[in-house]
Amino acid sequence: RVGDDDAGARRREVAPARTPTATGAAVRLGVFGGTFDPPHVGHLLAAVDAVEALALDRLVLVPAAQQPLKVGAESAAPEHRLAMTRLLAGDDPRFAVDPIEIDRAGLSYSVDTLGELTRRLPGVELFFLVGADVLETFPRWREPRRVLELARLVVLRRASDAMELPTSMRELPGREPIVLASRRVDVSSTEVRA
């Protein structure tokens, strides 16, 4: 586990790449969380596609300590997944890696992470990226309505896949999610681990 002093320094890395414009336009920050066990080129391509399509100033990758809907599933140690995610982001200035969920430990709830980022970075416009595969479970997440209040939901789908929002998602209040087609890479973390 990384020491607290280092954790504070790493949090500063998440600051947006630029400050609000003279006109007061909000900085656009993408938040892409996940187990990242392991992170792979498919995650990176989705991140690049989101930065470009949504005109994001920066995208932060947030490795989960433990996914609430995957309790009991075997995964690499959080500090190893964090290190691998940092390697994936490299020195690309469009990306940052935030250990917020790993530092918090326990179950990783997106609503807590988005709330903390909102407190840390007032005035920043958050875009919360999720894969199309999680839409069915989204209404079972902790405080899904609050998630939608804190950030604009962006659903990443493979460009070649058709997608319809599940009825359970359409019943949630707020703006309809942005659906973003990303490049298809036939790789998954499960396959990489095998």
Side-chain angles (χ1 to χ4, degrees):
R1 184 147 170 108
V2 178
D4 291 338
D5 290 338
D6 190 35
R10 287 178 284 127
R11 279 196 194 99
R12 285 191 292 278
E13 292 176 32
V14 178
R18 66 177 176 84
T19 55
T21 65
T23 62
V27 172
R28 298 166 63 90
L29 180 68
V31 179
F32 187 12
T35 307
F36 298 118
D37 187 28
H40 54 71
V41 70
H43 294 125
L44 185 60
L45 288 175
V48 168
D49 289 345
V51 167
E52 292 174 357
L54 301 169
L56 299 175
D57 294 297
R58 184 167 275 185
L59 185 139
V60 60
L61 299 158
V62 182
Q66 185 175 16
Q67 297 275 9
L69 298 178
K70 294 183 180 179
V71 171
E74 188 174 319
S75 68
E79 61 272 12
H80 295 153
R81 293 184 288 104
L82 175 62
M84 290 186 287
T85 304
R86 284 190 172 127
L87 289 171
L88 181 76
D91 60 1
D92 190 323
R94 298 173 296 179
F95 305 120
V97 177
D98 193 327
I100 184 172
E101 293 185 354
I102 290 172
D103 288 348
R104 191 169 52 230
L107 296 178
S108 299
Y109 293 105
S110 298
V111 69
D112 297 337
T113 301
L114 294 171
E116 177 60 25
L117 290 173
T118 299
R119 283 186 290 282
R120 256 199 249 162
L121 304 166
V124 169
E125 184 177 7
L126 296 178
F127 292 81
F128 182 51
L129 283 65
V130 299
D133 58 326
V134 306
L135 286 184
E136 287 293 335
T137 63
F138 185 79
R140 295 195 331 249
W141 289 18
R142 177 180 277 183
E143 300 184 58
R145 286 178 171 83
R146 181 74 177 134
V147 168
L148 297 175
E149 291 169 5
L150 291 167
R152 183 73 190 265
L153 188 66
V154 179
V155 179
L156 300 169
R157 71 166 179 83
R158 291 181 173 139
S160 60
D161 294 346
M163 193 195 92
E164 235 182 82
L165 287 178
T167 304
S168 58
M169 283 298 299
R170 290 192 300 263
E171 293 170 353
L172 289 171
R175 295 180 288 183
E176 189 166 302
I178 296 169
V179 177
L180 178 62
S182 63
R183 290 173 275 186
R184 181 181 182 100
V185 176
D186 288 323
V187 63
S188 73
S189 293
T190 302
E191 291 170 334
V192 172
R193 285 191 309 270

